[in-house]
Amino acid sequence: MSDIEMAKLDITHEVCPMTFVHTRLALDRLPAGGKLLVRLRGAGPLDNVSRSLKLLGHVVEEIQTETDGITHQLTVLKSPAS
């Protein structure tokens, strides 16, 4: 991991579209270039959140699937332009 401190967000109990809303709000509180670890549950939220973040110019650096097979962790780098 780099020297950048990573904020964390657990939205495993949220459903779409609130998964993205909470993620967007968390990213808005970070400085440009900040990192956010998002923990979410299910294929739908994984696809929707990662796609929407990329459309806004953010970088999904890593996706990890937990041992249960349905909970995922996204490491997101906030766009420098944000």
Side-chain angles (χ1 to χ4, degrees):
M1 188 166 6
S2 69
D3 293 338
I4 298 172
E5 187 170 330
M6 191 177 319
K8 296 179 181 173
L9 176 66
D10 186 339
I11 53 173
T12 53
H13 298 303
E14 299 293 337
V15 295
C16 292
M18 293 309 294
T19 51
F20 179 68
V21 171
H22 286 288
T23 303
R24 176 80 188 263
L25 290 172
L27 277 171
D28 286 349
R29 291 189 291 267
L30 293 178
K35 287 192 176 189
L36 177 66
L37 177 69
V38 182
R39 190 169 180 258
L40 48 81
R41 188 171 189 86
L46 175 63
D47 292 339
N48 293 333
V49 170
S50 59
R51 183 180 70 251
S52 297
L53 291 171
K54 290 174 186 176
L55 287 173
L56 291 175
H58 305 296
V59 177
V60 177
E61 292 186 321
E62 184 176 14
I63 299 173
Q64 293 183 341
T65 302
E66 295 183 9
T67 56
D68 65 3
I70 57 173
T71 305
H72 310 280
Q73 293 184 37
L74 303 177
T75 303
V76 182
L77 176 64
K78 183 174 178 178
S79 167
S82 296

